[in-house]
Amino acid sequence: MGLFSRKQDPAPADPAAAELGREYAIAKRHGDRKKVNQIARQLGNGTTDRESFEAGRRAYDDIPPIDPPRRNRRRR
């Protein structure tokens, strides 16, 4: 759900897989290919709950990225 929404998402069945999903989303947003590949290999082993992983990934992806402040001065 949204940041200030009163609706509650049900808790994921596997909190460790949800945390792994959040780490995956963070690595994707920051362009950390090494971490993304590491998590993808771990996910491919089949030991993590895919539904909880996706819930954790969506929870982070729902937060919009912050636009960096722009400089007003021109570069020379």
Side-chain angles (χ1 to χ4, degrees):
M1 294 280 122
L3 273 177
F4 302 108
S5 177
R6 291 178 186 246
K7 296 179 185 176
Q8 299 263 336
D9 283 334
D14 186 8
E19 182 62 31
L20 194 64
R22 280 190 287 276
E23 287 181 20
Y24 180 82
I26 290 169
K28 282 288 269 193
R29 185 175 286 185
H30 292 282
D32 188 0
R33 290 182 297 169
K34 183 178 178 183
K35 186 70 173 179
V36 168
N37 290 335
Q38 177 187 359
I39 294 172
R41 279 193 305 273
Q42 188 175 355
L43 190 62
N45 292 340
T47 58
T48 58
D49 180 25
R50 186 71 172 194
E51 185 67 29
S52 296
F53 176 83
E54 289 297 324
R57 187 187 59 75
R58 269 186 266 111
Y60 187 80
D61 282 340
D62 287 345
I63 301 171
I66 298 172
D67 291 333
R70 303 282 185 224
R71 290 196 272 183
N72 293 334
R73 289 182 275 157
R74 287 185 3 186
R75 286 189 169 177
R76 294 181 184 189

